[in-house]
Amino acid sequence: AALLLALQVRLVMKAHSFIRENVPRVLSSVKDKSGTVHIPKISQYLYFLFAPTLIYRDNYPRNPTIRWGYVATKFAQVLGSLFYAYYIFVRLCIPQFRNSSQETFNLRGLVLCIFNSILPGVLILFLAFFAFLHCWLNAFAEMLRFADRMFYK
């Protein structure tokens, strides 16, 4: 459900950017009564939907070729991050809560359990950041030949 919600938010943000960039152009050409109204092509909009950016432009800087080795490396890093996060979760988080579920409820035990899970949780968040924002977006940017890789700015 959270993944679906995140996808919907991304699509709403992209639709907002598309409308915000194109409606003023269309309205100004209609207001000036010029004969040509610049409406983006469907292919430009579809490229924008899959490109790792939230700002619509008619043209983006493009790389001349796709480096498939780079794409494979990034997807391998995503898989490695997922396996490492799973390992951290199974080895460091689950045993804490499994032991506490066998005992009677104790506030002190619950607080200790949560504090013992903070460091593994932070590691999992760093892995999720690395896997999605660095590896996943760079892999899709490379497959789409998207040259502007300033994801962090």
Short mmCIF file of all heavy atoms in Angstrom, two decimals, residues 1-10:
data_model
loop_
_atom_site.label_atom_id
_atom_site.label_comp_id
_atom_site.label_asym_id
_atom_site.label_seq_id
_atom_site.Cartn_x
_atom_site.Cartn_y
_atom_site.Cartn_z
N ALA A 1 0.82 -1.19 0.00
CA ALA A 1 0.00 0.00 0.00
C ALA A 1 0.87 1.26 0.00
O ALA A 1 0.56 2.22 -0.68
CB ALA A 1 -0.93 -0.01 1.20
N ALA A 2 1.97 1.22 0.75
CA ALA A 2 2.86 2.38 0.81
C ALA A 2 3.55 2.61 -0.53
O ALA A 2 3.74 3.75 -0.95
CB ALA A 2 3.88 2.20 1.92
N LEU A 3 3.92 1.53 -1.19
CA LEU A 3 4.56 1.64 -2.51
C LEU A 3 3.60 2.23 -3.53
O LEU A 3 3.97 3.09 -4.34
CB LEU A 3 5.07 0.27 -2.96
CG LEU A 3 5.88 0.24 -4.23
CD1 LEU A 3 7.15 1.06 -4.07
CD2 LEU A 3 6.21 -1.18 -4.60
N LEU A 4 2.35 1.79 -3.48
CA LEU A 4 1.33 2.32 -4.38
C LEU A 4 1.08 3.80 -4.11
O LEU A 4 0.94 4.60 -5.05
CB LEU A 4 0.04 1.51 -4.23
CG LEU A 4 -1.08 1.85 -5.21
CD1 LEU A 4 -0.64 1.59 -6.64
CD2 LEU A 4 -2.32 1.05 -4.88
N LEU A 5 1.04 4.18 -2.84
CA LEU A 5 0.86 5.59 -2.48
C LEU A 5 2.03 6.43 -2.97
O LEU A 5 1.83 7.53 -3.52
CB LEU A 5 0.69 5.72 -0.97
CG LEU A 5 0.48 7.14 -0.45
CD1 LEU A 5 -0.84 7.71 -0.98
CD2 LEU A 5 0.50 7.15 1.05
N ALA A 6 3.25 5.94 -2.80
CA ALA A 6 4.43 6.66 -3.28
C ALA A 6 4.40 6.84 -4.79
O ALA A 6 4.74 7.90 -5.32
CB ALA A 6 5.70 5.94 -2.85
N LEU A 7 3.98 5.80 -5.51
CA LEU A 7 3.87 5.89 -6.97
C LEU A 7 2.83 6.92 -7.38
O LEU A 7 3.05 7.71 -8.30
CB LEU A 7 3.53 4.52 -7.54
CG LEU A 7 3.39 4.44 -9.06
CD1 LEU A 7 4.69 4.79 -9.73
CD2 LEU A 7 2.92 3.07 -9.46
N GLN A 8 1.70 6.94 -6.70
CA GLN A 8 0.64 7.91 -7.00
C GLN A 8 1.10 9.34 -6.73
O GLN A 8 0.82 10.25 -7.51
CB GLN A 8 -0.62 7.59 -6.20
CG GLN A 8 -1.32 6.33 -6.64
CD GLN A 8 -1.80 6.44 -8.07
OE1 GLN A 8 -2.27 7.47 -8.53
NE2 GLN A 8 -1.69 5.34 -8.79
N VAL A 9 1.81 9.54 -5.63
CA VAL A 9 2.33 10.89 -5.31
C VAL A 9 3.31 11.33 -6.39
O VAL A 9 3.28 12.48 -6.84
CB VAL A 9 2.98 10.90 -3.92
CG1 VAL A 9 3.77 12.17 -3.69
CG2 VAL A 9 1.91 10.74 -2.84
N ARG A 10 4.17 10.42 -6.83
CA ARG A 10 5.13 10.76 -7.90
C ARG A 10 4.40 11.15 -9.18
O ARG A 10 4.74 12.14 -9.83
CB ARG A 10 6.05 9.57 -8.16
CG ARG A 10 7.10 9.85 -9.24
CD ARG A 10 7.93 8.61 -9.52
NE ARG A 10 7.21 7.60 -10.23
CZ ARG A 10 7.13 7.51 -11.57
NH1 ARG A 10 7.75 8.39 -12.31
NH2 ARG A 10 6.46 6.55 -12.14
#
